Amino acid sequence: EGPLRDIYRRIAGPEGYVDNVLQIHSLRPHTLEAHMALYKNVLHHRSNSLPKWLLETIGIYVSLLNGCAYCVEHHCAGLRRLLRDEARFAALRTALETGSLAGVFAEREIAVLEYARTLTRAPNEVSEGQIAALRRAGLSDGEILEVNQVASYFAYVNRTVLGLGVTTQGDVLG
């Protein structure tokens, strides 16, 4: 009721469904508004220049590294829908799950995923050399910021989901 009802109406899917990851904010609706603003701006803003499939892939990789099955399953459903190519989706998912990125991802994409891995696993080990490698791979500083923000957003969401025990039970994936 009240402000929460209004927020749920704005963010609900076509069938009126609100994902479990969003429902967990119900006791503090202002955090739900902030979460949605961050999500939309980091992953879906029209000013982003990296392809949406790559941004989703970064999120899936970070979620795999953090052991967050909820986010992996939700965003794999989204990636599958974006790619519209089941064989490519399966190859990408397998490469992410095994860490065997070569042969599936281009050099530029591997540099992005390696940076996301370091930022996720050991953020204090991100170096100027790694940023320079991203630049050599052809990323602009704005694109490096996009990668950073997607990886950081997923670290936040993974910790929220894992820390509060959110599951996909009863959820509509993707």
Side-chain angles (χ1 to χ4, degrees):
E1 54 188 45
L4 182 60
R5 181 186 62 229
D6 295 337
I7 296 168
Y8 278 180
R9 282 184 182 152
R10 282 196 322 265
I11 66 170
E15 313 240 336
Y17 189 78
V18 177
D19 290 338
N20 293 348
V21 69
L22 303 176
Q23 290 183 38
I24 61 174
H25 291 279
S26 64
L27 298 175
R28 299 293 185 270
H30 60 280
T31 66
L32 174 55
E33 288 182 305
H35 181 148
M36 287 305 299
L38 187 58
Y39 169 74
K40 287 181 179 187
N41 283 293
V42 167
L43 281 162
H44 300 290
H45 198 276
R46 66 188 183 301
S47 294
N48 287 346
S49 61
L50 291 174
K52 193 173 285 193
W53 76 265
L54 182 56
L55 299 177
E56 285 285 356
T57 299
I58 295 164
I60 293 165
Y61 193 45
V62 168
S63 298
L64 281 164
L65 293 169
N66 284 323
C68 185
Y70 181 93
C71 291
V72 169
E73 294 311 318
H74 263 279
H75 289 275
C76 275
L79 180 60
R80 174 183 272 132
R81 203 173 46 251
L82 279 172
L83 293 175
R84 297 179 189 181
D85 179 338
E86 193 59 36
R88 183 171 181 220
F89 167 75
L92 294 178
R93 182 167 184 166
T94 299
L96 294 172
E97 288 174 343
T98 63
S100 299
L101 306 177
V104 177
F105 291 98
E107 279 186 50
R108 171 181 162 108
E109 297 155 359
I110 291 172
V112 162
L113 293 169
E114 287 176 350
Y115 169 75
R117 182 181 58 229
T118 303
L119 186 60
T120 301
R121 289 278 171 95
N124 62 318
E125 293 179 14
V126 172
S127 67
E128 179 56 38
Q130 196 161 23
I131 301 299
L134 290 168
R135 289 182 183 126
R136 282 192 305 277
L139 275 80
S140 69
D141 286 350
E143 290 170 330
I144 294 169
L145 179 61
E146 287 177 36
V147 174
N148 174 280
Q149 291 298 285
V150 170
S152 298
Y153 166 77
F154 274 88
Y156 156 72
V157 176
N158 294 164
R159 282 153 181 77
T160 301
V161 165
L162 294 168
L164 294 174
V166 179
T167 69
T168 58
Q169 186 176 2
D171 229 350
V172 177
L173 294 180

